[in-house]
Amino acid sequence: MAMSDDLRAIQAQVEQGVLGADTLDALDRIRVASLGKKGSLTAIMRSMGKVPPEERPAMGQLANTVRANVQAAIEQRKLQLAKAALDAKISAEAADVTLPGRRLAPGTQHLISQIREEIEDIFCGLGYTIEDGPFVETTYYNFTALNAPEDHPSRSAKDTFYVVDNAPEGKETHALGESDVLLRTQTSGVQVHVMETRKPPIYMVCPGTVFRPDTADANHLPQFTQVEGLVVDEGITFGDLKGTLDYFCREIFGRDRATRYRPHFFPFTEPSCEVDVSCGVCHGEGCRFCKNTGWLEILGCGMVDPNVLGYVGIDSERYSGFAFGIGVERVAALRYDLPDLRMLMTGDMRFLRQF
Ligand code: DAH
């Protein structure tokens, strides 16, 4: 058989063969059999020297054409196989458009924020302003200007987080616990800031975070939320305090709840009391939730001590006032019978979504 017939036969064979090659491996075997070192086409190319010189150019050209066609046929089949493999992979992984969509889980406002806003709304409705104050305070605002004596136990490092002095060792200006910078333990200091910058009449509430070195347990959190209240005006009496806080308690806990004012001591108010609301679980009968007293403590309050007005230069002969501090986590716990305050901090959506 003439060499040209051999060449055409090889091309036909390869073109036929690649169509039947279903895998890249099979295709590669065809490539090796024709174009490989011992392949049929390679053998013919090598024997080109035996072709009579006058036929060589034409034969050489034909051989090159055949080789190019063979390479092209293999390459084209390779692309086909790759595409088929990709198509198969895509359809195997394809989205099932009939499946229900995945829901985004939107969060809700945290219970504490909800109650804080509710308290703000109640006092806004009475014409109070909403104030803000710094978390990092000085002993002056947190204690001294609130009439707390120098040796008041709440000033100790056991009850207050003092801000660490960052000076190099040996150069500290204060021992830890004697620093005059601290994380506020109460929002009451905002009373002082507001009275320093504003003249009476003052009707304000200040919600905010406070900090105490308590280990978290069912009834304590090292970080919690208070709403401070302050009224300073002419002719303010204990009757105004009681009317205001009775109204607040009924708004937040419901009209059927009774209140009780128990004498207490706070350095910045005189007289001072703690306010209890009747237990919502037993309606005052006595149960486990209210420790059989029928009452639940919810806030501290009192008439502003004239000494506090003196610190900010407000004339206590002309003006009087009352103040109060509400524990927001406490309100949440009492309203929803929460057995453990830590539930408010863990971020468990099964709990938080209920509100
Ligand atoms: N600051 C007090 C506390 O953290 C709460 C309080 C009591 C605030 C009486 C007041 C007040 O304004 O008059 O326990």
Side-chain angles (χ1 to χ4, degrees):
M1 216 198 300
M3 185 182 268
S4 56
D5 293 336
D6 285 348
L7 284 169
R8 287 196 195 91
I10 289 173
Q11 179 174 333
Q13 207 182 350
V14 169
E15 282 171 353
Q16 189 66 36
V18 296
L19 292 180
D22 289 334
T23 64
L24 288 173
D25 274 352
L27 191 61
D28 203 50
R29 281 195 291 277
I30 293 174
R31 183 188 63 78
V32 171
S34 52
L35 297 169
K37 250 191 226 164
K38 294 178 183 162
S40 50
L41 196 51
T42 312
I44 291 187
M45 303 290 257
R46 287 218 179 104
S47 64
M48 201 56 77
K50 292 178 195 147
V51 176
E54 64 279 12
E55 289 176 27
R56 231 179 263 164
M59 199 53 73
Q61 203 176 19
L62 179 63
N64 282 338
T65 308
V66 166
R67 185 170 59 180
N69 287 345
V70 163
Q71 280 171 338
I74 292 173
E75 206 47 46
Q76 192 190 354
R77 182 63 181 155
K78 200 168 168 181
L79 290 177
Q80 274 176 3
L81 288 178
K83 183 173 180 304
L86 186 63
D87 285 348
K89 195 167 171 230
I90 288 172
S91 68
E93 288 172 4
D96 178 351
V97 292
T98 64
L99 282 175
R102 286 197 193 117
R103 248 175 222 291
L104 284 178
T108 56
Q109 193 181 31
H110 194 276
L111 177 59
I112 293 304
S113 306
Q114 283 177 39
I115 294 185
R116 198 196 64 211
E117 283 186 9
E118 220 177 295
I119 296 174
E120 287 176 11
D121 284 350
I122 292 170
F123 285 100
C124 267
L126 294 174
Y128 286 51
T129 60
I130 313 285
E131 306 295 339
D132 208 0
F135 288 9
V136 179
E137 266 295 11
T138 58
T139 48
Y140 178 79
Y141 287 100
N142 200 73
F143 297 121
T144 310
L146 290 166
N147 204 33
E150 282 301 321
D151 59 354
H152 197 275
S154 64
R155 288 183 183 247
S156 81
K158 219 163 60 61
D159 290 324
T160 299
F161 284 118
Y162 283 90
V163 174
V164 182
D165 191 338
N166 266 338
E169 235 183 278
K171 297 240 164 92
E172 301 94 342
T173 47
H174 301 283
L176 183 58
E178 289 175 5
S179 158
D180 49 12
V181 183
L182 48 81
L183 298 186
R184 68 179 179 191
T185 59
Q186 52 186 359
T187 43
S188 303
V190 182
Q191 292 184 27
V192 183
H193 286 291
V194 169
M195 287 190 287
E196 275 182 347
T197 51
R198 206 167 321 145
K199 300 232 164 312
I202 294 168
Y203 291 80
M204 72 95 180
V205 286
C206 167
T209 310
V210 299
F211 309 86
R212 290 184 194 176
D214 283 326
T215 307
D217 65 22
N219 299 308
H220 298 87
L221 295 174
Q223 176 183 323
F224 56 102
T225 317
Q226 289 187 331
V227 176
E228 191 74 19
L230 175 71
V231 168
V232 182
D233 204 346
E234 289 182 47
I236 297 293
T237 68
F238 198 91
D240 296 310
L241 174 153
K242 191 163 182 299
T244 305
L245 295 179
D246 278 356
Y247 171 75
F248 162 74
C249 290
R250 280 199 301 274
E251 285 294 299
I252 203 94
F253 291 110
R255 309 226 143 250
D256 56 330
R257 306 290 277 272
T259 55
R260 167 172 94 165
Y261 292 70
R262 260 184 307 104
H264 197 76
F265 173 79
F266 296 105
F268 36 90
T269 43
E270 181 59 36
S272 308
C273 30
E274 281 185 335
V275 178
D276 301 334
V277 287
S278 55
C279 177
V281 176
C282 64
H283 300 284
E285 295 286 306
C287 67
R288 233 179 38 171
F289 193 61
C290 60
K291 300 199 181 85
N292 276 316
T293 60
W295 296 97
L296 302 160
E297 179 205 323
I298 69 136
L299 59 85
C301 62
M303 300 305 291
V304 179
D305 192 300
N307 285 350
V308 174
L309 297 178
Y311 270 104
V312 292
I314 291 179
D315 179 1
S316 60
E317 293 297 320
R318 180 169 170 202
Y319 293 105
S320 56
F322 65 86
F324 52 90
I326 304 164
V328 179
E329 281 76 5
R330 223 183 144 66
V331 170
L334 298 189
R335 196 153 88 168
Y336 295 106
D337 305 344
L338 305 182
D340 192 324
L341 289 185
R342 287 170 295 188
M343 296 168 103
L344 294 165
M345 304 299 284
T346 48
D348 185 337
M349 290 305 285
R350 293 167 303 179
F351 168 72
L352 293 172
R353 267 207 212 97
Q354 298 176 76
F355 306 104

